[in-house]
Amino acid sequence: MATRSKEKAAARAAAKDMRPRAVAKYIRISSSKVRIVIDQIRGKNVIEARGILMNTPKAASEPVLKVLDSAIAKR
């Protein structure tokens, strides 16, 4: 029985999404405010997204920029 679970775990690891991922925790901004900023950069390339975040006057743009930089660094 343990061998089957090892096979399943190996299959999950092989099929895992390979895109860079970063998570920000303990940010004291509501998720709805952050979602507005994230929706502006979703689907853009990195240079466009950084430009948008640097020129957006929202309070959530600074933490989102940090998360974006973190995701870029993991690449």
Side-chain angles (χ1 to χ4, degrees):
M1 190 144 132
T3 57
R4 178 69 179 141
S5 62
K6 288 180 184 178
E7 289 174 8
K8 286 172 128 179
R12 275 196 305 271
K16 186 176 163 184
D17 193 11
M18 300 306 290
R19 290 182 286 187
R21 183 173 177 227
V23 177
K25 293 185 178 182
Y26 310 113
I27 303 296
R28 293 186 52 102
I29 299 177
S30 70
S31 60
S32 59
K33 291 179 182 179
V34 174
R35 192 174 298 118
I36 292 170
V37 175
I38 291 175
D39 286 341
Q40 290 179 345
I41 65 167
R42 186 172 285 135
K44 306 277 194 297
N45 64 23
V46 174
I47 296 169
E48 288 181 62
R50 284 184 57 81
I52 291 169
L53 290 174
M54 287 182 173
N55 294 313
T56 301
K58 299 277 188 182
S61 62
E62 183 180 344
V64 172
L65 181 61
K66 287 183 180 183
V67 171
L68 178 66
D69 290 338
S70 177
I72 294 167
K74 287 186 178 183
R75 227 170 169 195

